[in-house]
Amino acid sequence: MAWPWRRLAATAGAVRIEALAERLGWSRRHLVRRFRERTAPSLKPAAQLFRFERATALLRATALLRGRTPAPPLAAVTAEAG
């Protein structure tokens, strides 16, 4: 399950679970079951965590670049983070 985890991390959770399963030659259901057996979070929550981390990184980067000016709208950040 290292490869699906690395793909989720590399894409900040933006890769579709179906695409991961297809690449492995497995069904979505089989991949989800195998992933859940071997890791703490299942695929969907893991992808959500990566997207959340991406969003917080975007907010931090924007805050550093802008100094004291207001952060971008949260809707724009969440759209960019997926």
Side-chain angles (χ1 to χ4, degrees), residues 63-80:
L64 290 173
L65 291 174
R66 292 179 178 234
R68 295 183 179 198
T69 59
L74 289 179
V77 172
T78 56
E80 186 172 339

Side-chain angles (χ1 to χ4, degrees), residues 6-57:
R6 286 192 312 268
R7 289 300 306 145
L8 285 173
T11 63
V15 66
R16 295 180 49 81
I17 296 169
E18 291 81 5
L20 294 172
E22 184 177 315
R23 177 73 187 261
L24 291 168
W26 295 348
S27 70
R28 181 187 191 284
R29 183 185 216 180
H30 181 72
L31 174 59
V32 168
R33 184 173 46 246
R34 295 276 309 263
F35 196 88
R36 190 174 294 137
E37 289 170 358
R38 287 169 176 74
T39 64
S42 64
L43 278 165
K44 187 172 183 177
Q48 290 169 334
L49 286 171
F50 283 117
R51 288 193 299 271
F52 179 76
E53 287 178 357
R54 171 84 173 123
T56 57

